[in-house]
Amino acid sequence: MKGTIIRLQGGFYDVMTEEKQEIRCRARGNFRNRNISPVVGDDVDIQDQGDGTGYILAVDERSNHLVRPPIANIDQAFLLFSVKEPAFSFHLLDRFLVLIESKQVHPIIVLTKMDLLTESEREKIHEAAALYRSIGYEVIETSTEDGSGIEQIRGSFKEKTSVFAGQTGVGKSSLLNAVAPELELATGKISKSLGRGKHTTRHVTLITLADGLVADTPGFSSLEFPEELEVEEMRWCFPEFVERHDDCKFRGCAHLNEPGCAVKAAVAAGEIASTRYENYVTFMAELNDRQRRY
């Protein structure tokens, strides 16, 4: 039978089959020798024992894999950023976007707490949202107080596997509860069985929500760039840079000190936001420093 791992618990893998049956499985004994470590989100072949238990026989090739949180085959990531309390951060958003782009996961930017803004603050946030929309990103403005944006998020779950990412205090739990009021109860039950609080960063569970699968423990435990992300790959994580890359004088242009750089010319002309380019330069320096150290 085919299925998807939705939970890891006490050495067992809970697998949801294509027939929506949940079967508790063990992995084959030779997985460890073959360096195979199944994670939540993996599509697997299982042998059903007929009593609610089974064995994982094989793990399908992954489309992507996040380490923190450990989850595979993610279709989209909702990047939650509050516009106030805590304040919106271009730097943090761009860092999250690079993390997601480097894993070939579709990002959706969600701005929370829109109801807290004054008129002048709202205008600035609308400008920021327009900037990212012009790059090609989907941006959803939300408020759990007046319900704005909630239906748009709920409609985005269908037939997708989603994960939520965001810093503490941006309103992840409030937003999920607004999308699905029953989620709080479901999350509480899962948390108790997993010993949440003691192992929060080590467990991920996928739950069915609005005809899709959503990670019940949203967020990343680390904002460091993945070890496999090379310096040369950073420029491919900025879509507006990719659009202009072929116009650079040199094919391998890093968009830093090279002459005839189309990206730097676009920044000077106001066609690429200076905040985006400045964050790119900072991220490149970070990766270069890491490469020198290791």
Side-chain angles (χ1 to χ4, degrees):
M1 301 175 68
K2 300 290 293 186
T4 300
I5 297 175
I6 61 170
R7 187 184 306 112
L8 274 63
Q9 183 176 347
F12 291 95
Y13 302 85
D14 291 337
V15 176
M16 182 67 71
T17 70
E18 293 178 335
E19 292 75 27
K20 306 303 179 184
Q21 178 186 3
E22 192 170 316
I23 299 177
R24 175 151 292 188
C25 298
R26 287 191 179 276
R28 292 181 64 174
N30 64 356
F31 274 18
R32 180 173 297 179
N33 296 334
R34 295 162 57 195
N35 199 29
I36 298 175
S37 299
V39 300
V40 169
D42 271 329
D43 295 319
V44 295
D45 294 329
I46 68 170
Q47 179 180 350
D48 183 9
Q49 298 293 96
D51 59 357
T53 68
Y55 290 91
I56 295 177
L57 305 177
V59 179
D60 291 354
E61 184 177 351
R62 297 165 177 163
S63 60
N64 52 55
H65 176 216
L66 303 180
V67 177
R68 293 180 294 269
I71 189 169
N73 301 318
I74 294 298
D75 295 308
Q76 58 190 12
F78 290 85
L79 307 181
L80 272 63
F81 285 82
S82 64
V83 294
K84 198 170 186 177
E85 300 175 10
F88 177 78
S89 167
F90 283 100
H91 177 89
L92 196 57
L93 174 53
D94 287 343
R95 179 173 286 271
F96 267 110
L97 285 170
V98 168
L99 283 165
I100 294 303
E101 292 276 7
S102 70
K103 294 295 185 178
Q104 289 79 52
V105 177
H106 175 68
I108 299 174
I109 300 170
V110 179
L111 303 179
T112 66
K113 306 183 184 180
M114 290 293 294
D115 56 285
L116 298 181
L117 297 177
T118 64
E119 282 304 314
S120 60
E121 291 171 335
R122 185 180 296 272
E123 185 176 336
K124 291 180 180 178
I125 289 299
H126 283 162
E127 290 175 359
L131 162 62
Y132 286 93
R133 289 187 179 114
S134 71
I135 296 170
Y137 291 115
E138 181 179 359
V139 182
I140 303 176
E141 300 172 26
T142 70
S143 167
T144 56
E145 291 298 314
D146 61 25
S148 59
I150 303 303
E151 285 302 318
Q152 189 175 352
I153 289 177
R154 185 182 288 117
S156 300
F157 290 147
K158 188 173 183 180
E159 298 180 355
K160 303 285 186 182
T161 298
S162 306
V163 65
F164 277 63
Q167 293 293 82
T168 301
V170 300
K172 294 188 296 291
S173 298
S174 297
L175 186 64
L176 280 170
N177 288 333
V179 171
E182 75 278 7
L183 186 60
E184 185 174 7
L185 177 61
T187 303
K189 289 180 178 178
I190 293 170
S191 300
K192 185 176 180 180
S193 66
L194 292 177
R196 184 186 296 278
K198 188 175 182 180
H199 303 293
T200 300
T201 59
R202 288 177 15 196
H203 291 282
V204 177
T205 299
L206 287 176
I207 61 172
T208 301
L209 183 62
D211 297 322
L213 291 173
V214 182
D216 87 302
T217 49
F220 292 165
S221 60
S222 172
L223 287 179
E224 294 181 0
F225 294 127
E227 293 181 3
E228 63 270 21
L229 179 61
E230 301 289 342
V231 174
E232 295 77 14
E233 296 177 66
M234 178 63 73
R235 63 181 181 270
W236 304 113
C237 297
F238 285 71
E240 67 271 46
F241 293 12
V242 176
E243 288 180 6
R244 295 167 171 84
H245 184 76
D246 289 343
D247 296 328
C248 291
K249 182 177 181 179
F250 298 102
R251 176 175 292 182
C253 186
H255 316 312
L256 294 174
N257 303 310
E258 300 87 347
C261 174
V263 169
K264 289 193 294 182
V267 175
E271 298 169 2
I272 289 179
S274 58
T275 54
R276 290 277 289 171
Y277 184 72
E278 289 163 5
N279 287 333
Y280 170 78
V281 172
T282 299
F283 299 158
M284 286 289 280
E286 182 179 329
L287 289 188
N288 275 309
D289 181 62
R290 185 176 72 181
Q291 188 168 295
R292 283 192 296 268
R293 284 186 285 119
Y294 297 103

